[in-house]
Amino acid sequence: MYEEISFANSDREEVEEEARELFNHIKRLGVRLDDIDVLDPCGGCRRQGYLVHIGSLPTDEVRVLNSALRELFRSTAPDSERR
């Protein structure tokens, strides 16, 4: 009989869940992050933790994202901060 063991990395799974949430928020703003990835900690450099890499965005996608974020901030900002 085999013992039940897990090879799951809970730290990575937590970061993957955060990356999924980011992906879905940005998707709701009209931009799809096709190159999003979770990068493992770097053993040979100063970076110790995981990184969420959102990839490269075409200029038109950056414009869509900027426009959606501007509108979001305008709609949630106090009246004194709206431009």
Side-chain angles (χ1 to χ4, degrees):
M1 186 59 122
Y2 290 107
E3 181 179 342
E4 288 293 321
I5 62 172
S6 174
F7 295 99
N9 180 328
S10 61
D11 290 341
R12 182 179 174 90
E13 288 174 347
E14 185 178 326
V15 174
E16 287 173 352
E17 184 59 35
E18 293 293 332
R20 263 187 228 92
E21 183 177 348
L22 176 66
F23 172 86
N24 286 308
H25 286 311
I26 292 177
K27 182 179 168 189
R28 287 181 59 204
L29 294 174
V31 174
R32 187 172 175 88
L33 299 175
D34 290 329
D35 296 334
I36 192 168
D37 198 5
V38 173
L39 305 178
D40 290 333
C42 178
C45 60
R46 293 180 12 206
R47 179 175 56 84
Q48 297 299 313
Y50 289 94
L51 288 180
V52 175
H53 176 74
I54 64 170
S56 300
L57 294 173
T59 304
D60 58 335
E61 292 286 305
V62 172
R63 287 186 185 114
V64 169
L65 183 56
N66 282 337
S67 177
L69 290 171
R70 273 194 303 274
E71 191 58 37
L72 178 66
F73 291 135
R74 274 191 205 116
S75 68
T76 61
D79 290 336
S80 63
E81 293 181 19
R82 291 186 187 173
R83 294 183 191 166

